[in-house]
């Protein structure tokens, strides 16, 4: 929250509006990240991932594969990239988040060689494609795995085809036409494929309108 920027509140098991603290395994409890950085996102893999303005954290029980409880937890910083104020998204074995200047897309994922979570840059081969800064993102799962991004004051919608199992990370731009600027994007499931919906700002007869 804006007043408690390092706190993570975990509800009672199965009672998602019950935050009365306790010490039983199923009770609610609060964790505080040991940093002065501001919390930006949470994401769930085999661990609970947390992103801040200055780094990325792993939160888990002290025993691998055990559940988080009020008496069994640990926090450890994994990387120090930092995040923008945009909620990260979970995609299979990774969490994708936007870096602190909203220009790079990073992948929070476990590295077998380093035995820790790392945050490689997915925009390394297309550094200029996010010029203007990322403002929102959404994942399309069907018929293909594509992440869609809106950019600040840009006439383009940007997509990233993301199939990590096949080592595919491919970027593309999609012109909106005229002076259109996409301000937000969402994806909803459809009968045969996912539906992509945009909010687009345009100037019509001297007036600013949105479609």
């Amino acid at each position: 929250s804006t007043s408690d920027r390092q706190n993570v509140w975990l509800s009672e098991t199965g009672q998602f509006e019950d935050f009365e603290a306790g010490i039983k395994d199923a009770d609610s409890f609060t964790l505080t990240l040991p940093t002065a950085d501001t919390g930006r996102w949470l994401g769930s893999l085999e661990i609970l991932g947390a992103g801040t303005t200055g780094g990325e954290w792993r939160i888990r029980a002290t025993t691998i594969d055990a559940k988080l409880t009020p008496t069994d937890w640990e926090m450890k910083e994994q990387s120090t990239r930092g995040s923008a104020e945009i909620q990260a998204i979970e995609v299979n074995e990774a969490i994708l988040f936007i870096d602190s200047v909203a220009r790079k897309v990073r992948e929070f994922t476990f590295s077998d060689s380093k035995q820790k979570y790392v945050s490689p840059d997915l925009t390394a081969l297309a550094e200029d494609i996010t010029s203007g800064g990322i403002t929102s993102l959404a994942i399309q799962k069907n018929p293909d795995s594509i992440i869609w991004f809106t950019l600040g004051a840009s006439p383009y919608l940007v997509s990233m085809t993301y199939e990590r199992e096949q080592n595919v990370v491919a970027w593309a731009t999609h012109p909106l036409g005229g002076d259109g600027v996409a301000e937000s994007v969402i994806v909803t499931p459809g009968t045969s494929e996912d539906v992509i919906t945009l909010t687009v700002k345009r100037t019509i007869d001297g007036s600013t309108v949105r479609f």
Side-chain angles (χ1 to χ4, degrees), residues 146-211:
I146 301 176
I147 317 298
W148 295 90
F149 303 89
T150 59
L151 306 175
S154 172
Y156 294 95
L157 184 68
V158 173
S159 68
M160 180 183 72
T161 303
Y162 179 77
E163 293 283 359
R164 259 308 186 195
E165 296 82 358
Q166 302 175 40
N167 291 320
V168 173
V169 178
W171 290 87
T173 56
H174 309 268
L176 297 171
D179 64 349
V181 174
E183 294 183 317
S184 64
V185 57
I186 63 168
V187 176
T188 51
T191 54
S192 60
E193 62 182 54
D194 293 342
V195 177
I196 302 161
T197 305
L198 308 174
T199 299
V200 179
K201 181 177 72 172
R202 296 183 183 276
T203 301
I204 305 294
D205 295 330
S207 299
T208 299
V209 294
R210 288 172 172 83
F211 297 91

Side-chain angles (χ1 to χ4, degrees), residues 8-13 20-32 46-48 59-75:
V8 180
W9 292 274
L10 298 97
S11 74
E12 180 180 342
T13 301
E20 184 175 352
I23 60 172
K24 296 180 180 178
D25 284 357
D27 285 344
S28 169
F29 62 105
T30 301
L31 298 176
T32 301
E46 290 187 349
I47 52 87
L48 179 63
I59 304 173
R60 71 176 191 189
T62 54
T63 304
I64 295 177
D65 292 333
K67 306 300 182 184
L68 282 171
T69 72
T71 58
D72 186 12
W73 54 268
E74 65 174 13
M75 291 182 284

Side-chain angles (χ1 to χ4, degrees), residues 81-86 97-106 123 127 129-136 149-152 171:
R81 303 298 185 178
S83 299
E85 195 171 2
I86 300 173
F97 69 94
I98 311 304
D99 81 332
S100 57
V101 294
R103 287 292 305 274
K104 294 183 178 181
V105 181
R106 292 193 174 274
T123 48
E127 292 182 348
I129 203 166
T130 57
S131 179
I134 296 169
T135 56
S136 69
F149 303 89
T150 59
L151 306 175
W171 290 87

